[in-house]
Amino acid sequence: MLLQRPICKHCNKNHTAINYIRNGVTHYRSTCDECGRKKNKLKPRQPSWQKSGYKKKATCDLCGFHSKYPSQLTVFHIDGKLEHIELSNLRTICLNCVEIVKKTEVTWKRGDLIVD
Ligand SMILES: [Zn+2]
Ligand SMILES: [Zn+2]
């Protein structure tokens, strides 16, 4: 017997994508291939430190360097644990200071970068 293939819940247009087939029964996803792909693509990759509400500063916490572009500064987790996103664990560091930090501060670890 043939099961009716459902229509995508997202676009209400295409048939849903096949999820898997088990014991001759086809299981479908709730969305079509197209919407499934779009969803994956749109999924924002948010750095962990951004979830804490931390905003990368325009000046370096170490030397006071004032950046012209955000890419000149990077966020560090000073205890080296990327999952520790308390504001007290985060520092905005310029690329010059990154070099110094890498040599002097053993625990500091660069946080996830923002994808522009
Ligand atoms: Zn769809
Ligand atoms: Zn600096």
Side-chain angles (χ1 to χ4, degrees):
M1 79 160 233
L2 198 74
L3 266 164
Q4 183 79 47
R5 190 164 174 174
I7 298 288
C8 170
K9 278 180 194 161
H10 197 78
C11 61
N12 273 317
K13 194 175 72 190
N14 302 320
H15 288 286
T16 54
I18 293 168
N19 196 2
Y20 59 94
I21 300 169
R22 190 179 286 161
N23 302 326
V25 181
T26 311
H27 296 260
Y28 298 102
R29 296 179 188 279
S30 58
T31 55
C32 66
D33 263 333
E34 212 177 298
C35 292
R37 237 174 307 161
K38 258 188 231 160
K39 207 174 144 198
N40 275 342
K41 219 174 165 188
L42 285 177
K43 206 171 148 200
R45 235 176 41 114
Q46 197 190 31
S48 60
W49 52 265
Q50 225 171 38
K51 290 176 205 146
S52 69
Y54 186 80
K55 296 249 186 317
K56 187 155 86 171
K57 297 175 192 170
T59 49
C60 173
D61 275 336
L62 288 183
C63 70
F65 167 79
H66 195 85
S67 70
K68 195 168 177 188
Y69 304 104
S71 58
Q72 292 177 283
L73 294 166
T74 185
V75 175
F76 265 71
H77 300 247
I78 62 175
D79 73 349
K81 305 258 185 324
L82 296 184
E83 65 271 23
H84 289 174
I85 53 169
E86 296 82 15
L87 299 187
S88 59
N89 192 41
L90 300 169
R91 295 287 185 281
T92 298
I93 310 290
C94 75
L95 297 185
N96 259 335
C97 289
V98 166
E99 289 305 309
I100 296 163
V101 160
K102 275 200 270 184
K103 289 179 172 60
T104 54
E105 306 281 353
V106 282
T107 59
W108 290 34
K109 205 165 175 184
R110 191 193 288 243
D112 302 319
L113 301 171
I114 312 175
V115 270
D116 325 88

